[in-house]
Amino acid sequence: MNRARAFFFFVLSFCICRDIIAQVVAARLAGDEVVAVAHAHELPRYGVKLGLTNFASAYCVGLLVARRVLKKMGLDETYAGAEEVTGEMFEVEPDEDKRPFRALLDIGIVTATTGHKVFAVMKGAVDGGLDVPHNEKRFPAYTKEEGFDPEILKSHIMGEHVAEYMELLADEDEDRYKEQFGRYIKEGITHEDIAEIYENAHTAIRENPDPVKSDKPVPDRSKYKQKKATPEERKANISKRITELLSTE
C-alpha cells in the first residue's frame, strides 16, 4: 500500500449556538480534504424553518451530508440507507460490486453524553447510507438496565418530544407557550404539524441533496493585499535606507 496516498474518511459534527455542521473529511498525509458538508441553516429549503438546532434537525443534517457525499461518489442509488424512520439499529449491507462508503465519527471536544445531538447527526448519516461503526449506547434513553428503546429514538428523530412539550405548555401555561414558541405561532405551526414537517424534510433531502450556491456577493479583499516587491525594488529600498541613515550621521 502506498502510504502517501492512503487516507481515511471521518464524519465531523459540530453543534454551535445557531447552527449544526456535518462534514465528511478525508484525512490525507498532505492535509485534510473536505469531501462534503451540510449545515442546519440549509434545512429551510426542505421545509424545516424553525428549531434548526434540536435533535430532529441534527438528524436531518446527518442525512443531508450522507446523501450529498454518496451522490458525489456515485453510490446514492446503490446505498439508499434506511428510507423509513423506525428508530431501529441500521447497518449498511455491502454490495457485490461496490463497497459501502465507510467513515469514522469524530465529535472533537464534545463530551460523549447519552442523547447528545452529535449522535443524531451520526444516526442520520447511517440511515442516509454511510457505513459508520457505532452501537446503541449513546442514543436517547439508553440505560444499562433497560437497554435501548427504538421508539424513543424515533420520537426524537421525528420531533415528537418537541410536539409533546408544545402541547403541554399550550394546555398548562399559555403565556410561556406564546413566549417560547412565538415564532412557531407566527408561522402557523402547531404541535400536530411537527412530525409531518420532518417526515417531508427527509423525503425532500433524498430527492435533492445538492447544495445551492449562495447569492451573496463575494467581498473584494484585493485592496487589503500589499503588492509584493521585486528583488530590484527591495535592493533599491535597502540602498535608499542606507543612504538616509548615513546622511543623518
Side-chain angles (χ1 to χ4, degrees):
M1 181 178 69
N2 186 347
R3 294 185 178 275
R5 295 185 178 180
F7 56 90
F8 299 92
F9 290 104
F10 292 89
V11 176
L12 275 67
S13 176
F14 308 93
C15 299
I16 56 179
C17 294
R18 297 187 179 182
D19 204 0
I20 297 175
I21 307 168
Q23 295 178 331
V24 175
V25 177
R28 306 177 188 272
L29 291 178
D32 293 347
E33 176 187 346
V34 178
V35 181
V37 61
H39 298 80
H41 65 245
E42 297 181 70
L43 296 182
R45 282 178 52 205
Y46 302 102
V48 182
K49 299 179 181 179
L50 301 171
L52 300 183
T53 56
N54 62 28
F55 193 94
S57 293
Y59 175 90
C60 291
V61 174
L63 178 66
L64 179 58
V65 76
R67 301 311 301 166
R68 189 166 284 175
V69 71
L70 288 176
K71 186 172 183 179
K72 185 175 182 179
M73 296 295 178
L75 297 172
D76 54 325
E77 295 183 1
T78 305
Y79 294 101
E83 298 187 73
E84 181 181 353
V85 176
T86 62
E88 299 283 351
M89 290 292 292
F90 176 79
E91 293 184 4
V92 176
E93 296 183 2
D95 183 72
E96 294 181 359
D97 298 327
K98 298 179 180 180
R99 291 183 299 174
F101 189 100
R102 167 161 282 212
L104 306 177
L105 179 65
D106 184 352
I107 63 174
I109 62 173
V110 172
T111 303
T113 53
T114 300
H116 199 285
K117 289 181 288 187
V118 295
F119 300 111
V121 175
M122 180 197 69
K123 177 61 174 170
V126 171
D127 285 357
L130 295 188
D131 181 14
V132 183
H134 68 287
N135 58 39
E136 73 281 3
K137 293 183 179 180
R138 290 304 179 190
F139 291 143
Y142 173 86
T143 61
K144 292 182 179 179
E145 294 76 19
E146 299 181 4
F148 167 62
D149 187 348
E151 287 298 323
I152 295 178
L153 177 57
K154 178 183 177 182
S155 69
H156 279 65
I157 291 173
M158 301 305 295
E160 292 175 5
H161 61 301
V162 178
E164 291 174 2
Y165 184 58
M166 289 178 68
E167 186 178 13
L168 177 67
L169 279 186
D171 293 339
E172 297 185 358
D173 193 341
E174 187 174 354
D175 292 336
R176 187 176 177 186
Y177 171 71
K178 291 180 179 179
E179 179 182 354
Q180 192 159 346
F181 292 99
R183 296 177 64 191
Y184 286 78
I185 297 172
K186 187 177 181 180
E187 292 288 340
I189 300 173
T190 66
H191 67 277
E192 297 176 349
D193 303 321
I194 300 296
E196 184 179 359
I197 287 173
Y198 286 108
E199 184 178 1
N200 293 338
H202 300 161
T203 303
I205 287 171
R206 289 181 175 277
E207 289 177 354
N208 182 20
D210 297 333
V212 175
K213 291 184 178 181
S214 175
D215 55 358
K216 294 182 179 179
V218 179
D220 182 15
R221 295 189 175 90
S222 60
K223 60 182 179 180
Y224 300 110
K225 295 181 180 179
Q226 294 184 354
K227 184 180 177 181
K228 189 174 180 181
T230 63
E232 292 75 14
E233 290 174 337
R234 289 199 296 270
K235 290 179 181 179
N237 291 336
I238 293 172
S239 299
K240 181 180 178 181
R241 182 59 178 161
I242 292 174
T243 303
E244 291 176 353
L245 291 173
L246 292 175
S247 64
T248 56
E249 293 181 354

